[in-house]
């Protein structure tokens, strides 16, 4: 059974940092491009970042460019999102997902709250 | 950037009725690279349709997708109680950015 499990969310003050992790099981992460998608409370889905299988290509939404960094460790079957200079508007549930253009497999999400 | 506009924002229907959800793109979506997702409260999105009209594995045939270019439709032929949820369209013809529509909530009338 494919499972993607996010961790690392929590409460952080504006300007702070967090590192999210996404651990894959029943699923060979190295075969897939991966994305992070977030969802502010009560709002819709927003794509955050993309990474190719080999990490050779990454993309970011304009809203996070220069502040967030996506990475992966295929040997550990894990995906990461380093989030720096966090703002209140970054408050959201963050999902990792496999990316084949569309996304069959999603994690259950981890909540990031940016507040003083 | 391709902007996706979903309508209506909310659809109030009864179980057994049919539902028609619209997703309009600001530019043509190449090769019909459009997907539909269902999301229930507290859950991750679930892939329903990809390539505008192909059902994902395990999705009942009461769900169907159609359209091309800038106009796409998700049709639910007969609403079951478990179908009341929020539905999102997503284009993947041009990345970055990957874009989602704002969602349509299908609620019980």
């Amino acid at each position: 059974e494919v499972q993607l499990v996010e961790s690392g969310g929590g409460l952080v003050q504006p300007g702070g940092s967090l590192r999210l992790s996404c651990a894959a099981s029943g699923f060979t992460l190295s075969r897939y491009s991966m994305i992070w998608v977030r969802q502010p409370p009560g709002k819709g889905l927003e794509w955050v970042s993309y990474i190719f299988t080999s990490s050779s290509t990454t993309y970011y939404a304009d809203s996070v460019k220069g502040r967030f960094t996506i990475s992966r460790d295929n040997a550990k079957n894990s995906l990461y999102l380093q989030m720096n200079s966090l703002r209140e508007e970054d408050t959201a549930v963050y999902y990792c997902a496999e990316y084949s253009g569309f996304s069959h497999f999603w994690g259950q999400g981890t909540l990031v709250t940016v507040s003083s | 950037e391709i902007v996706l506009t979903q309508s209506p924002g909310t659809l109030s229907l009864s179980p057994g009725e049919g539902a028609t959800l619209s997703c309009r793109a600001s530019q043509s979506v190449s090769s019909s690279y459009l997907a539909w997702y269902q999301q229930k409260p507290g859950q991750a999105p679930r892939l329903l349709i990809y390539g505008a009209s192909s059902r994902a594995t395990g999705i009942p045939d009461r769900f169907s997708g159609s359209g091309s270019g800038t106009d796409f439709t998700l049709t639910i032929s007969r609403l079951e109680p478990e179908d009341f949820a929020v539905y999102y369209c997503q284009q993947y013809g041009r990345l970055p950015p990957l874009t989602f529509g704002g969602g349509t909530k299908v609620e019980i009338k």
Side-chain angles (χ1 to χ4, degrees), chain A residues 104, chain B residues 38 46-48 50 54-63:
Chain A
H104 280 101
Chain B
Q38 176 193 69
R46 175 194 182 197
L47 178 68
L48 299 175
Y50 62 93
S54 298
R55 268 189 302 276
T57 304
I59 301 304
D61 60 8
R62 64 179 181 274
F63 291 92

Side-chain angles (χ1 to χ4, degrees), chain A residues 2 15-16 26 35 42 47 57 64 71 94 97 100-101 105 115:
Chain A
V2 173
I35 58 174
W47 167 73
T57 300
V64 307
S71 62
Y94 285 73
S100 305
F105 303 119
S115 175

Side-chain angles (χ1 to χ4, degrees), chain B residues 37-90:
Chain B
Y37 298 87
Q38 176 193 69
Q39 189 181 33
K40 297 179 181 179
Q43 296 185 16
R46 175 194 182 197
L47 178 68
L48 299 175
I49 300 286
Y50 62 93
S53 60
S54 298
R55 268 189 302 276
T57 304
I59 301 304
D61 60 8
R62 64 179 181 274
F63 291 92
S64 63
S66 62
S68 63
T70 60
D71 289 298
F72 298 87
T73 300
L74 175 70
T75 301
I76 311 172
S77 58
R78 294 170 310 278
L79 284 163
E80 297 287 340
E82 62 267 28
D83 299 336
F84 292 92
V86 180
Y87 293 84
Y88 295 95
C89 58
Q90 173 227 320

